[in-house]
Amino acid sequence: MQADTPNDSANVSSLSPSVQMAFIAAIAAIAGGLYGYDTGIISGALLQITGEFQLGHTAQELVAAAILAGAVVGSLTSTHLSARFGRRHTIMIVAAIYTVGVVAASLSPDALWLAVSRLVLGFAVGGSTQIVPTYIAELAPPDKRGRLVTYFNVSIGVGILCAAIVGFVLQNAWSWRLMIGVAVVPSLLLLFGMMRLPGSPRWLVEQGRLVEARQALARVRETKQEVREEIADIRELHEQLEEERGGWRALAEPWVRPALVAGLGVAAFTQLSGIEMMIYYTPTFLTDAGFGHSAALLAALGVASVYLVMTYIGKRVVDHVGRRRLTLWMMPPAALALFALGAVFHYSLGGEHRGALVVACLLLYMVFNSAGIQVIGWLMGSELYPLAIRDKATGAHSAMLWGSNLVLTGTALSMTQWLGVGGAMWVYGALNVIGAVFVYVCLPETAGRSLEDIERALKEGRFLPTRQRGDGEAVRGSAAA
């Protein structure tokens, strides 16, 4: 099977290995921008769509949520494609689905067609979140893996910001069809860009294609010695792979359980900590605080800008600070910001400055949440799981993220009706506290460690933070947290 290797001519480049790796991560991460844009643009386009198709409240929710339902399915089904055709080729399939979905949505003759088209887009969104972080992680050097995988997070922020800009600035200049359809440009760029990139060396070793694995790794490593040592390390673990490999039941093996609990827990709290709720419903909350419609949309644009800036900063520091420590630093202040925001709403604090207090608390929450758990949410899915179950586990990880997103966005407005906006903010603040406790207890430090080292620690019972003594740099980072 030749699916995961580009043409031989693509293997020759004058770029240095570090520049090539950054270029590879940037091209693959375009999928994150498509995710951010395609999920975010519906808030700006829905006003026009509702008017054209005469949609009621329920129909609007179905059109908006179809992409999330598709993402859950796409996360799980892409695991088979990834295992059979390889990471690189699966990303190309995802790019093709993005292209078809965007074109179909922009040409929709009615609301049902639009909902189905966004469901198809969801397959691509879910598939990309399952496969892109894994692809980058399997190529990246251990000491740079965090910042390279989080190109994906930053790209999501770029997509969300672009959607907010289009929805606010071009609301009266572009039709909703053009708002949605313009995403065909990056989807085609992703499709053709991936044709020139190398395959995953881990997947190639699994297929017994050692020469191609060495060629792929040689493009992104500084020395031949690094390539030889890493290939030997991958092969050593691969020798145990066949007897360990299994279906979905393999995820229930006792030795795998700590990684699965840690990874899926982080995936859940990435969404349950409230980020998507804030991105989707900021205009609603601010309108309740007395903001005008335009001011609320402008503040939502500010929220998207903060998300992008802080995920970029998180990307720059995650390999130096550590995944676990960064999250433990950021989640408690995010919780405090939500508790304060809840108090402002519930007790009507601030008087004539109430609006400014709401915006301040909202932006502080975005600062700490975006630079913390949002940075590691997708990254952990690419690092924690053993090679034998990586395809299925990353699919489950992505499905957990999208399932949690669906639960959160599907209950946010109902929760504000039951508890008031202030009560809802307190609930989300409590979830941030619970998330921080979970990270402290269950998530080990993975910064600076190879994927093979992480797997060995899992097999030897040294995976959990309390059992990482003797693991060098990882232990110091974990202890400091």
Side-chain angles (χ1 to χ4, degrees), residues 42-116:
I42 194 65
S43 63
L46 197 57
L47 293 173
Q48 295 184 27
I49 293 169
T50 300
E52 181 172 333
F53 294 146
Q54 299 298 305
L55 302 183
H57 178 69
T58 301
Q60 291 179 51
E61 289 183 333
L62 288 174
V63 168
I67 197 168
L68 302 180
V72 176
V73 177
S75 299
L76 297 173
T77 55
S78 63
T79 61
H80 175 71
L81 296 175
S82 175
R84 181 173 181 181
F85 298 112
R87 320 320 188 195
R88 170 182 162 270
H89 201 69
T90 301
I91 296 173
M92 293 172 64
I93 294 172
V94 163
I97 296 173
Y98 266 126
T99 303
V100 171
V102 164
V103 172
S106 67
L107 298 177
S108 297
D110 53 44
L112 178 60
W113 184 285
L114 178 60
V116 172

Side-chain angles (χ1 to χ4, degrees), residues 441-455:
V441 173
C442 297
L443 185 67
E445 185 55 73
T446 59
R449 304 168 68 187
S450 72
L451 299 179
E452 289 69 38
D453 284 340
I454 296 168
E455 182 166 343

Side-chain angles (χ1 to χ4, degrees), residues 406-447:
L406 189 58
V407 168
L408 188 81
T409 56
T411 60
L413 294 181
S414 297
M415 188 176 295
T416 58
Q417 290 177 352
W418 298 334
L419 304 176
V421 176
M425 294 303 105
W426 288 339
V427 170
Y428 298 129
L431 286 170
N432 276 264
V433 173
I434 296 171
V437 173
F438 176 87
V439 168
Y440 182 81
V441 173
C442 297
L443 185 67
E445 185 55 73
T446 59

Side-chain angles (χ1 to χ4, degrees), residues 22-24 60 165-166 189 206 215 240 249 258-259 300 308 350 471:
F23 177 76
I24 290 166
Q60 291 179 51
I165 291 171
V166 168
L189 181 60
E206 280 191 72
Q215 290 173 345
Q240 308 169 22
R249 290 184 179 181
L308 173 59
D471 276 1

Side-chain angles (χ1 to χ4, degrees), residues 2-8 11 88 197-199 204 209 212 215:
Q2 302 300 316
D4 210 27
T5 303
N7 295 332
D8 291 341
N11 293 330
R88 170 182 162 270
L197 302 188
L204 290 167
R209 293 157 58 178
E212 295 165 76
Q215 290 173 345

Side-chain angles (χ1 to χ4, degrees), residues 43 45 50 56 90-91 118 120 141 145 163-164 180 186 188-189 225 301 321 374 380 394 404 406 409 453 457 463 475:
S43 63
T50 300
T90 301
I91 296 173
R118 284 179 58 77
V120 171
R145 188 174 60 240
I180 292 174
L188 288 173
L189 181 60
Q225 181 66 21
L301 183 58
V321 175
Q374 297 307 316
M380 290 295 94
T394 54
S404 300
L406 189 58
T409 56
D453 284 340
F463 180 83
V475 173

